[in-house]
Amino acid sequence: MKGEPVFHVLPDAEALARAAAGRILGIVRERLADQARKRKTGVKFHMALSGGTTPRRAFELLAGPPYAEIFPWEDVHFWQVDERWVPPDHPESNRRMLLDTLLSHVPVPSVNLHFIDTSLGSPADAVRAYETALRAALPAPKRGFPAFDLVHLGLGIEGHVASLFPDSPAMDEASAWVTTSTGGDPDLPRVTLTLSVINAAAAVLFVVSGSDRAEALEKTLAGEAVPGGLVSPENGTLTFLADEAAAGEVEP
Ligand code: 6PG
């Protein structure tokens, strides 16, 4: 890991959403500036966003002032961390949530949007299609994994991240970039990035809210064997943003 994990506690869910929006923009700007300093041309920023409820407010903030005007939308490619196996316009669809809260309100070119396609025949078909799209956009070393510039994660009550649930076979996937899984709330078949891809990212950002996450966050921060605790980007940074309810007794 690059440096020690960073852990910030915010007073409440609204402050957490503000901090998350600001941190996402900060990571994007820093990385693009670094690429410009190295005179790399045509380089884009690739970010994978989680679904669920917690990120909604931060995404809405990014879609409004001042972020909507200052965010470098054209330079950022948006990917999904995971998707529930429901039609794309279903209320439980993560793609729909990303579009409704953020992506349909900002001037991001449509070629920069990469969704897990739940209109295909099966989750396995969607896995293949998503991995193919990833391989075309994000080069990786032979038998290695693509390095997202940022992977944004939530944390489930029992410590899951992405759609990687405790004891799920998806957790043991050693070589795939994308895999199928089942579980969560709602309990559905899912398509998810693997732990290997998450741990290959240049930056991983957890955003965690609510007292029902306190135990999972404590285990995750302690590096225990819950999925969250296994997130440890090999060459990247690891940041936790939590509200006071989720942080519980844990001191930053
Ligand atoms: C999903 C997610 C998932 C999420 C956690 C936390 O599809 O459910 O992408 O990994 O981040 O379950 O979800 P909440 O924010 O809804 O608590």
Side-chain angles (χ1 to χ4, degrees):
M1 198 185 304
K2 226 181 191 175
E4 289 294 306
V6 172
F7 178 37
H8 290 295
V9 180
L10 289 305
D12 53 35
E14 180 64 16
L16 175 68
R18 291 191 182 281
R23 181 59 68 127
I24 289 171
L25 176 62
I27 294 172
V28 171
R29 280 182 158 170
E30 201 177 303
R31 186 106 172 138
L32 290 175
D34 187 50
Q35 289 169 349
R37 266 196 304 277
K38 292 180 180 147
R39 298 189 193 287
K40 292 191 180 169
T41 50
V43 188
K44 303 280 182 182
F45 187 101
H46 292 268
M47 131 169 24
L49 295 176
S50 281
T53 310
T54 313
R56 293 188 69 100
R57 180 67 184 137
F59 294 166
E60 284 166 6
L61 290 168
L62 284 172
Y67 295 107
E69 288 78 35
I70 61 178
F71 198 95
W73 300 109
E74 298 212 342
D75 294 332
V76 179
H77 281 251
F78 293 88
W79 298 81
Q80 290 186 266
V81 166
D82 64 335
E83 183 57 288
R84 296 110 178 242
W85 197 252
V86 291
D89 58 351
H90 190 278
E92 299 284 6
S93 157
N94 283 338
R95 168 196 185 133
R96 177 172 168 179
M97 187 278 280
L98 292 170
L99 284 163
D100 286 354
T101 54
L102 174 63
L103 298 172
S104 53
H105 306 287
V106 293
V108 58
S110 57
V111 290
N112 292 15
L113 302 181
H114 310 273
F115 295 117
I116 294 168
D117 190 355
T118 59
S119 67
L120 295 176
S122 69
D125 291 339
V127 164
R128 273 190 292 276
Y130 198 55
E131 186 161 325
T132 302
L134 263 175
R135 284 185 187 274
L138 272 168
K142 220 176 174 189
R143 280 188 287 279
F145 298 97
F148 275 101
D149 297 291
L150 171 63
V151 172
H152 154 271
L153 295 175
L155 185 66
I157 293 174
E158 56 352 355
H160 79 262
V161 291
S163 287
L164 301 168
F165 302 100
D167 303 323
S168 129
M171 288 293 300
D172 303 324
E173 185 50 69
S175 57
W177 294 12
V178 184
T179 190
T180 55
S181 155
T182 305
D185 180 16
D187 189 353
L188 289 165
R190 289 155 178 261
V191 173
T192 182
L193 295 180
T194 58
L195 193 58
S196 305
V197 170
I198 294 170
N199 282 336
V204 175
L205 174 66
F206 274 90
V207 182
V208 190
S209 174
S211 56
D212 57 351
R213 308 301 144 104
E215 198 183 326
L217 183 59
E218 200 177 333
K219 288 184 179 162
T220 295
L221 288 164
E224 288 186 27
V226 290
L230 302 177
V231 173
S232 176
E234 249 171 74
N235 302 304
T237 60
L238 179 58
T239 304
F240 293 88
L241 300 179
D243 58 17
E244 276 178 9
E249 301 298 308
V250 186
E251 296 285 334

